[in-house]
Amino acid sequence: MSSEESATESITELKQRVKAIIGEVNSLKADLQKGTITLDKFREKKDILENILRGILDKISQYKDKGTPEQKIDAGIAEQANKLMYEFQTDFLEKISRAKVYISASLDDHFIFDIDFSNYPGKPKLIDPEIIRKKISILPLETKIPLLTNWNSANPSNIVEIFYDVERILLNIIQGEPTEDTDLNQEHIKKIQERQKLVIFADLERKAKKFDKAIELYKKVIEISTELEDYETVNKYNKIVNEISANISQNT
């Protein structure tokens, strides 16, 4: 067997192991949703599997500079997936070139992006979460990312750099100063920014044991979240208000 055939066989075997591990992780998620495994146990097992996965991806990546053109493509995709895992919370959908990437722009603004880089070093496909369109009205977000609009397959950027830009854009919109960008829903952004400030002040009042003031501020957070139709955040802060109220009742 030639060295080229041996390398192809090795990569094929490694890719099969990758697929098996992704399947195990997805099975763990299903068990967590069914309640047959605790969150702590899920995290423990997931961490073990992801560490194994990183090791396998690293082995595939070694063919980036010495393999055939096809092997180099596999190695490049493995390298990109590995870098992505180290920088962001990432879940893979059946294969490492299709991923869900989790971005947090504030305590209450979390987004999940789908990205498909199966054609890497060709241009990847970034899919905006629906909540982005609902909350902020950017259509599509990739038009704001020069790395994507000016993609160069001959000298491709790292996939992780795309999400550095996504994170920066969302942080600027949600936590930064008002913007004149006509693609954005200005009213929603102002409410999101106001809510973020209220959460910070409410948390400070709660830590200072000024519970009545904290409740007042949290209720404003709930009101804004209701206007934004962000019912997950409404439930979160209703629960906090109820907990504080219960503690006040117990101590009076």
Side-chain angles (χ1 to χ4, degrees):
M1 181 183 295
S2 68
S3 59
E4 184 178 306
E5 290 172 333
S6 177
T8 300
E9 190 173 292
S10 295
I11 291 176
T12 300
E13 182 183 342
L14 290 168
K15 286 169 69 175
Q16 288 173 346
R17 290 175 62 191
V18 165
K19 186 175 181 179
I21 289 174
I22 292 174
E24 287 186 59
V25 172
N26 289 331
S27 292
L28 275 178
K29 291 177 193 172
D31 289 341
L32 181 65
Q33 291 173 348
K34 290 185 290 187
T36 56
I37 187 174
T38 65
L39 180 59
D40 287 342
K41 200 66 179 175
F42 166 78
R43 286 173 174 165
E44 178 187 337
K45 290 188 174 183
K46 186 170 182 280
D47 284 345
I48 292 171
L49 289 170
E50 287 186 340
N51 283 332
I52 295 171
L53 179 57
R54 290 188 185 102
I56 298 172
L57 294 178
D58 188 54
K59 288 181 180 178
I60 299 175
S61 301
Q62 292 174 12
Y63 292 92
K64 181 182 176 185
D65 299 317
K66 63 183 181 182
T68 64
E70 187 178 64
Q71 290 163 1
K72 287 179 179 179
I73 289 173
D74 284 335
I77 289 173
E79 181 183 53
Q80 294 305 311
N82 212 356
K83 287 181 177 180
L84 201 53
M85 287 179 71
Y86 274 110
E87 297 296 327
F88 295 97
Q89 181 184 341
T90 305
D91 289 337
F92 296 109
L93 308 174
E94 299 179 355
K95 55 183 182 177
I96 56 170
S97 58
R98 290 190 59 227
K100 285 187 177 294
V101 180
Y102 297 75
I103 303 289
S104 293
S106 75
L107 290 172
D108 298 300
D109 295 290
H110 312 287
F111 307 96
I112 305 173
F113 288 83
D114 285 318
I115 189 162
D116 186 340
F117 51 103
S118 303
N119 294 323
Y120 192 87
K123 182 179 177 180
K125 183 178 181 182
L126 181 69
I127 303 171
D128 299 343
E130 185 178 350
I131 196 169
I132 285 280
R133 299 192 291 274
K134 185 176 180 181
K135 279 188 174 184
I136 304 174
S137 299
I138 303 177
L139 292 173
L141 182 59
E142 76 169 56
T143 62
K144 306 291 181 185
I145 303 173
L147 285 178
L148 286 173
T149 55
N150 302 313
W151 188 265
N152 181 359
S153 297
N155 185 27
S157 301
N158 290 315
I159 299 298
V160 72
E161 294 178 63
I162 296 170
F163 288 101
Y164 292 151
D165 278 352
V166 169
E167 188 175 55
R168 174 184 54 78
I169 290 167
L170 292 176
L171 284 170
N172 285 343
I173 290 170
I174 291 173
Q175 298 184 348
E177 295 299 318
T179 173
E180 297 302 319
D181 196 323
T182 55
D183 290 342
L184 306 180
N185 185 324
Q186 298 293 337
E187 183 181 351
H188 270 53
I189 290 170
K190 287 178 182 177
K191 288 180 179 179
I192 290 169
Q193 291 173 345
E194 182 184 355
R195 180 178 68 178
Q196 177 67 10
K197 292 174 184 177
L198 286 169
V199 168
I200 292 170
F201 289 131
D203 288 345
L204 289 172
E205 296 290 359
R206 187 181 183 184
K207 288 178 182 177
K209 300 189 184 301
K210 298 178 180 178
F211 297 122
D212 288 341
K213 184 61 177 176
I215 288 175
E216 178 186 337
L217 292 171
Y218 283 132
K219 284 184 175 179
K220 289 182 181 178
V221 171
I222 293 167
E223 182 181 337
I224 291 174
S225 298
T226 302
E227 293 172 4
L228 292 171
E229 298 182 12
D230 184 358
Y231 300 115
E232 184 177 343
T233 301
V234 170
N235 292 335
K236 174 182 176 179
Y237 286 102
N238 269 327
K239 184 177 179 181
I240 288 174
V241 167
N242 291 336
E243 287 174 355
I244 296 173
S245 299
N247 287 334
I248 292 173
S249 299
Q250 289 174 1
N251 295 322
T252 55

mmCIF file of all heavy atoms in Angstrom, residues 200-229:
data_model
loop_
_atom_site.group_PDB
_atom_site.id
_atom_site.type_symbol
_atom_site.label_atom_id
_atom_site.label_comp_id
_atom_site.label_asym_id
_atom_site.label_seq_id
_atom_site.Cartn_x
_atom_site.Cartn_y
_atom_site.Cartn_z
ATOM 1 N N ILE A 200 -28.390 45.478 35.077
ATOM 2 C CA ILE A 200 -27.164 45.780 35.832
ATOM 3 C C ILE A 200 -27.493 46.483 37.143
ATOM 4 O O ILE A 200 -27.001 46.101 38.219
ATOM 5 C CB ILE A 200 -26.207 46.645 34.981
ATOM 6 C CG1 ILE A 200 -25.667 45.826 33.803
ATOM 7 C CG2 ILE A 200 -25.046 47.174 35.824
ATOM 8 C CD1 ILE A 200 -24.920 46.647 32.775
ATOM 9 N N PHE A 201 -28.355 47.511 37.075
ATOM 10 C CA PHE A 201 -28.714 48.255 38.284
ATOM 11 C C PHE A 201 -29.527 47.397 39.256
ATOM 12 O O PHE A 201 -29.334 47.470 40.473
ATOM 13 C CB PHE A 201 -29.499 49.521 37.918
ATOM 14 C CG PHE A 201 -28.660 50.581 37.256
ATOM 15 C CD1 PHE A 201 -29.081 51.182 36.087
ATOM 16 C CD2 PHE A 201 -27.443 50.969 37.796
ATOM 17 C CE1 PHE A 201 -28.307 52.148 35.462
ATOM 18 C CE2 PHE A 201 -26.658 51.931 37.187
ATOM 19 C CZ PHE A 201 -27.094 52.529 36.007
ATOM 20 N N ALA A 202 -30.424 46.586 38.726
ATOM 21 C CA ALA A 202 -31.237 45.707 39.580
ATOM 22 C C ALA A 202 -30.360 44.701 40.320
ATOM 23 O O ALA A 202 -30.557 44.450 41.517
ATOM 24 C CB ALA A 202 -32.284 44.982 38.740
ATOM 25 N N ASP A 203 -29.390 44.137 39.611
ATOM 26 C CA ASP A 203 -28.476 43.182 40.247
ATOM 27 C C ASP A 203 -27.671 43.842 41.363
ATOM 28 O O ASP A 203 -27.436 43.246 42.420
ATOM 29 C CB ASP A 203 -27.522 42.586 39.208
ATOM 30 C CG ASP A 203 -28.210 41.606 38.263
ATOM 31 O OD1 ASP A 203 -29.338 41.167 38.578
ATOM 32 O OD2 ASP A 203 -27.617 41.288 37.212
ATOM 33 N N LEU A 204 -27.258 45.080 41.141
ATOM 34 C CA LEU A 204 -26.505 45.816 42.168
ATOM 35 C C LEU A 204 -27.366 46.073 43.403
ATOM 36 O O LEU A 204 -26.903 45.928 44.548
ATOM 37 C CB LEU A 204 -25.992 47.145 41.599
ATOM 38 C CG LEU A 204 -24.865 47.048 40.575
ATOM 39 C CD1 LEU A 204 -24.589 48.413 39.948
ATOM 40 C CD2 LEU A 204 -23.589 46.506 41.235
ATOM 41 N N GLU A 205 -28.624 46.458 43.175
ATOM 42 C CA GLU A 205 -29.547 46.704 44.297
ATOM 43 C C GLU A 205 -29.800 45.410 45.071
ATOM 44 O O GLU A 205 -29.866 45.408 46.303
ATOM 45 C CB GLU A 205 -30.872 47.273 43.782
ATOM 46 C CG GLU A 205 -30.775 48.630 43.109
ATOM 47 C CD GLU A 205 -30.466 49.769 44.088
ATOM 48 O OE1 GLU A 205 -30.341 49.508 45.296
ATOM 49 O OE2 GLU A 205 -30.342 50.909 43.620
ATOM 50 N N ARG A 206 -29.907 44.320 44.352
ATOM 51 C CA ARG A 206 -30.135 43.022 45.007
ATOM 52 C C ARG A 206 -28.938 42.640 45.872
ATOM 53 O O ARG A 206 -29.104 42.175 47.010
ATOM 54 C CB ARG A 206 -30.397 41.957 43.945
ATOM 55 C CG ARG A 206 -30.807 40.609 44.520
ATOM 56 C CD ARG A 206 -31.026 39.604 43.391
ATOM 57 N NE ARG A 206 -31.494 38.332 43.900
ATOM 58 C CZ ARG A 206 -31.686 37.257 43.134
ATOM 59 N NH1 ARG A 206 -31.462 37.337 41.823
ATOM 60 N NH2 ARG A 206 -32.102 36.127 43.667
ATOM 61 N N LYS A 207 -27.717 42.835 45.346
ATOM 62 C CA LYS A 207 -26.510 42.527 46.123
ATOM 63 C C LYS A 207 -26.399 43.418 47.346
ATOM 64 O O LYS A 207 -25.873 42.997 48.389
ATOM 65 C CB LYS A 207 -25.268 42.687 45.240
ATOM 66 C CG LYS A 207 -25.117 41.593 44.194
ATOM 67 C CD LYS A 207 -23.889 41.824 43.322
ATOM 68 C CE LYS A 207 -23.780 40.735 42.255
ATOM 69 N NZ LYS A 207 -22.632 40.969 41.340
ATOM 70 N N ALA A 208 -26.890 44.664 47.231
ATOM 71 C CA ALA A 208 -26.856 45.600 48.361
ATOM 72 C C ALA A 208 -28.003 45.365 49.333
ATOM 73 O O ALA A 208 -28.162 46.098 50.312
ATOM 74 C CB ALA A 208 -26.895 47.032 47.839
ATOM 75 N N LYS A 209 -28.812 44.323 49.051
ATOM 76 C CA LYS A 209 -29.969 43.953 49.890
ATOM 77 C C LYS A 209 -31.046 45.034 49.914
ATOM 78 O O LYS A 209 -31.834 45.127 50.856
ATOM 79 C CB LYS A 209 -29.528 43.591 51.317
ATOM 80 C CG LYS A 209 -28.559 42.403 51.358
ATOM 81 C CD LYS A 209 -28.303 41.931 52.770
ATOM 82 C CE LYS A 209 -27.277 40.819 52.825
ATOM 83 N NZ LYS A 209 -27.661 39.622 52.049
ATOM 84 N N LYS A 210 -31.085 45.853 48.863
ATOM 85 C CA LYS A 210 -32.162 46.828 48.705
ATOM 86 C C LYS A 210 -33.236 46.165 47.837
ATOM 87 O O LYS A 210 -33.392 46.480 46.650
ATOM 88 C CB LYS A 210 -31.640 48.116 48.073
ATOM 89 C CG LYS A 210 -30.584 48.820 48.931
ATOM 90 C CD LYS A 210 -30.063 50.073 48.254
ATOM 91 C CE LYS A 210 -29.008 50.772 49.096
ATOM 92 N NZ LYS A 210 -28.467 51.979 48.423
ATOM 93 N N PHE A 211 -33.956 45.255 48.466
ATOM 94 C CA PHE A 211 -34.820 44.342 47.709
ATOM 95 C C PHE A 211 -36.016 45.025 47.047
ATOM 96 O O PHE A 211 -36.413 44.658 45.947
ATOM 97 C CB PHE A 211 -35.281 43.206 48.618
ATOM 98 C CG PHE A 211 -34.150 42.353 49.116
ATOM 99 C CD1 PHE A 211 -33.922 42.189 50.476
ATOM 100 C CD2 PHE A 211 -33.286 41.723 48.228
ATOM 101 C CE1 PHE A 211 -32.869 41.419 50.936
ATOM 102 C CE2 PHE A 211 -32.238 40.945 48.674
ATOM 103 C CZ PHE A 211 -32.019 40.795 50.032
ATOM 104 N N ASP A 212 -36.604 46.024 47.725
ATOM 105 C CA ASP A 212 -37.760 46.705 47.132
ATOM 106 C C ASP A 212 -37.372 47.413 45.832
ATOM 107 O O ASP A 212 -38.109 47.363 44.844
ATOM 108 C CB ASP A 212 -38.336 47.725 48.128
ATOM 109 C CG ASP A 212 -39.062 47.049 49.274
ATOM 110 O OD1 ASP A 212 -39.434 45.866 49.117
ATOM 111 O OD2 ASP A 212 -39.237 47.683 50.326
ATOM 112 N N LYS A 213 -36.202 48.070 45.853
ATOM 113 C CA LYS A 213 -35.724 48.763 44.658
ATOM 114 C C LYS A 213 -35.366 47.753 43.564
ATOM 115 O O LYS A 213 -35.648 47.982 42.374
ATOM 116 C CB LYS A 213 -34.494 49.611 45.001
ATOM 117 C CG LYS A 213 -33.979 50.448 43.840
ATOM 118 C CD LYS A 213 -35.016 51.450 43.356
ATOM 119 C CE LYS A 213 -34.453 52.314 42.242
ATOM 120 N NZ LYS A 213 -35.464 53.237 41.693
ATOM 121 N N ALA A 214 -34.771 46.626 43.982
ATOM 122 C CA ALA A 214 -34.411 45.585 43.007
ATOM 123 C C ALA A 214 -35.654 45.051 42.308
ATOM 124 O O ALA A 214 -35.675 44.900 41.084
ATOM 125 C CB ALA A 214 -33.663 44.459 43.712
ATOM 126 N N ILE A 215 -36.704 44.789 43.095
ATOM 127 C CA ILE A 215 -37.952 44.278 42.521
ATOM 128 C C ILE A 215 -38.543 45.287 41.538
ATOM 129 O O ILE A 215 -39.003 44.922 40.449
ATOM 130 C CB ILE A 215 -38.974 43.949 43.632
ATOM 131 C CG1 ILE A 215 -38.529 42.686 44.386
ATOM 132 C CG2 ILE A 215 -40.375 43.765 43.056
ATOM 133 C CD1 ILE A 215 -39.395 42.345 45.586
ATOM 134 N N GLU A 216 -38.510 46.557 41.909
ATOM 135 C CA GLU A 216 -39.034 47.611 41.039
ATOM 136 C C GLU A 216 -38.315 47.612 39.683
ATOM 137 O O GLU A 216 -38.947 47.699 38.623
ATOM 138 C CB GLU A 216 -38.852 48.970 41.724
ATOM 139 C CG GLU A 216 -39.323 50.153 40.898
ATOM 140 C CD GLU A 216 -38.990 51.490 41.559
ATOM 141 O OE1 GLU A 216 -38.810 51.518 42.793
ATOM 142 O OE2 GLU A 216 -38.898 52.489 40.820
ATOM 143 N N LEU A 217 -36.989 47.479 39.721
ATOM 144 C CA LEU A 217 -36.207 47.483 38.491
ATOM 145 C C LEU A 217 -36.429 46.203 37.676
ATOM 146 O O LEU A 217 -36.531 46.253 36.448
ATOM 147 C CB LEU A 217 -34.726 47.654 38.820
ATOM 148 C CG LEU A 217 -34.328 49.022 39.387
ATOM 149 C CD1 LEU A 217 -32.888 48.998 39.889
ATOM 150 C CD2 LEU A 217 -34.498 50.115 38.336
ATOM 151 N N TYR A 218 -36.481 45.067 38.370
ATOM 152 C CA TYR A 218 -36.718 43.800 37.664
ATOM 153 C C TYR A 218 -38.085 43.805 36.982
ATOM 154 O O TYR A 218 -38.242 43.255 35.883
ATOM 155 C CB TYR A 218 -36.624 42.616 38.626
ATOM 156 C CG TYR A 218 -35.218 42.224 39.000
ATOM 157 C CD1 TYR A 218 -34.862 42.012 40.331
ATOM 158 C CD2 TYR A 218 -34.236 42.040 38.026
ATOM 159 C CE1 TYR A 218 -33.568 41.641 40.685
ATOM 160 C CE2 TYR A 218 -32.940 41.671 38.368
ATOM 161 C CZ TYR A 218 -32.609 41.475 39.708
ATOM 162 O OH TYR A 218 -31.331 41.111 40.052
ATOM 163 N N LYS A 219 -39.069 44.451 37.597
ATOM 164 C CA LYS A 219 -40.400 44.520 36.983
ATOM 165 C C LYS A 219 -40.364 45.345 35.693
ATOM 166 O O LYS A 219 -41.090 45.062 34.740
ATOM 167 C CB LYS A 219 -41.416 45.095 37.970
ATOM 168 C CG LYS A 219 -41.827 44.084 39.047
ATOM 169 C CD LYS A 219 -42.908 44.630 39.965
ATOM 170 C CE LYS A 219 -43.371 43.561 40.946
ATOM 171 N NZ LYS A 219 -44.408 44.065 41.874
ATOM 172 N N LYS A 220 -39.487 46.356 35.666
ATOM 173 C CA LYS A 220 -39.320 47.142 34.440
ATOM 174 C C LYS A 220 -38.659 46.288 33.353
ATOM 175 O O LYS A 220 -38.985 46.404 32.170
ATOM 176 C CB LYS A 220 -38.481 48.386 34.723
ATOM 177 C CG LYS A 220 -39.211 49.440 35.557
ATOM 178 C CD LYS A 220 -38.345 50.669 35.775
ATOM 179 C CE LYS A 220 -39.083 51.707 36.625
ATOM 180 N NZ LYS A 220 -38.230 52.897 36.888
ATOM 181 N N VAL A 221 -37.733 45.418 33.787
ATOM 182 C CA VAL A 221 -37.097 44.489 32.855
ATOM 183 C C VAL A 221 -38.146 43.553 32.256
ATOM 184 O O VAL A 221 -38.155 43.292 31.053
ATOM 185 C CB VAL A 221 -36.001 43.665 33.574
ATOM 186 C CG1 VAL A 221 -35.487 42.540 32.667
ATOM 187 C CG2 VAL A 221 -34.850 44.563 34.004
ATOM 188 N N ILE A 222 -39.038 43.073 33.114
ATOM 189 C CA ILE A 222 -40.111 42.180 32.667
ATOM 190 C C ILE A 222 -41.044 42.899 31.682
ATOM 191 O O ILE A 222 -41.443 42.340 30.655
ATOM 192 C CB ILE A 222 -40.917 41.657 33.873
ATOM 193 C CG1 ILE A 222 -40.032 40.734 34.728
ATOM 194 C CG2 ILE A 222 -42.186 40.931 33.427
ATOM 195 C CD1 ILE A 222 -40.607 40.404 36.094
ATOM 196 N N GLU A 223 -41.346 44.148 31.976
ATOM 197 C CA GLU A 223 -42.233 44.935 31.113
ATOM 198 C C GLU A 223 -41.621 45.111 29.719
ATOM 199 O O GLU A 223 -42.295 44.919 28.697
ATOM 200 C CB GLU A 223 -42.469 46.305 31.755
ATOM 201 C CG GLU A 223 -43.406 47.206 30.973
ATOM 202 C CD GLU A 223 -43.597 48.557 31.646
ATOM 203 O OE1 GLU A 223 -43.383 48.665 32.879
ATOM 204 O OE2 GLU A 223 -43.948 49.509 30.926
ATOM 205 N N ILE A 224 -40.321 45.474 29.674
ATOM 206 C CA ILE A 224 -39.648 45.661 28.392
ATOM 207 C C ILE A 224 -39.555 44.338 27.635
ATOM 208 O O ILE A 224 -39.774 44.276 26.418
ATOM 209 C CB ILE A 224 -38.242 46.262 28.602
ATOM 210 C CG1 ILE A 224 -38.364 47.703 29.097
ATOM 211 C CG2 ILE A 224 -37.436 46.216 27.299
ATOM 212 C CD1 ILE A 224 -37.050 48.343 29.477
ATOM 213 N N SER A 225 -39.251 43.261 28.367
ATOM 214 C CA SER A 225 -39.130 41.944 27.728
ATOM 215 C C SER A 225 -40.455 41.499 27.130
ATOM 216 O O SER A 225 -40.482 40.847 26.080
ATOM 217 C CB SER A 225 -38.632 40.914 28.745
ATOM 218 O OG SER A 225 -37.346 41.264 29.223
ATOM 219 N N THR A 226 -41.552 41.853 27.791
ATOM 220 C CA THR A 226 -42.881 41.540 27.267
ATOM 221 C C THR A 226 -43.124 42.300 25.963
ATOM 222 O O THR A 226 -43.638 41.743 24.991
ATOM 223 C CB THR A 226 -43.973 41.897 28.293
ATOM 224 O OG1 THR A 226 -43.735 41.178 29.511
ATOM 225 C CG2 THR A 226 -45.357 41.540 27.768
ATOM 226 N N GLU A 227 -42.728 43.580 25.942
ATOM 227 C CA GLU A 227 -42.872 44.383 24.724
ATOM 228 C C GLU A 227 -42.041 43.805 23.577
ATOM 229 O O GLU A 227 -42.446 43.864 22.412
ATOM 230 C CB GLU A 227 -42.438 45.828 25.006
ATOM 231 C CG GLU A 227 -43.362 46.574 25.963
ATOM 232 C CD GLU A 227 -42.814 47.929 26.363
ATOM 233 O OE1 GLU A 227 -41.743 48.311 25.835
ATOM 234 O OE2 GLU A 227 -43.439 48.612 27.198
ATOM 235 N N LEU A 228 -40.883 43.230 23.935
ATOM 236 C CA LEU A 228 -40.005 42.627 22.929
ATOM 237 C C LEU A 228 -40.446 41.214 22.538
ATOM 238 O O LEU A 228 -39.838 40.591 21.674
ATOM 239 C CB LEU A 228 -38.564 42.565 23.463
ATOM 240 C CG LEU A 228 -37.839 43.899 23.659
ATOM 241 C CD1 LEU A 228 -36.531 43.689 24.403
ATOM 242 C CD2 LEU A 228 -37.573 44.560 22.320
ATOM 243 N N GLU A 229 -41.493 40.731 23.230
ATOM 244 C CA GLU A 229 -41.991 39.360 23.027
ATOM 245 C C GLU A 229 -40.895 38.331 23.330
ATOM 246 O O GLU A 229 -40.821 37.268 22.721
ATOM 247 C CB GLU A 229 -42.516 39.170 21.591
ATOM 248 C CG GLU A 229 -43.693 40.075 21.284
ATOM 249 C CD GLU A 229 -44.247 39.861 19.880
ATOM 250 O OE1 GLU A 229 -43.860 38.864 19.234
ATOM 251 O OE2 GLU A 229 -45.058 40.677 19.434
#
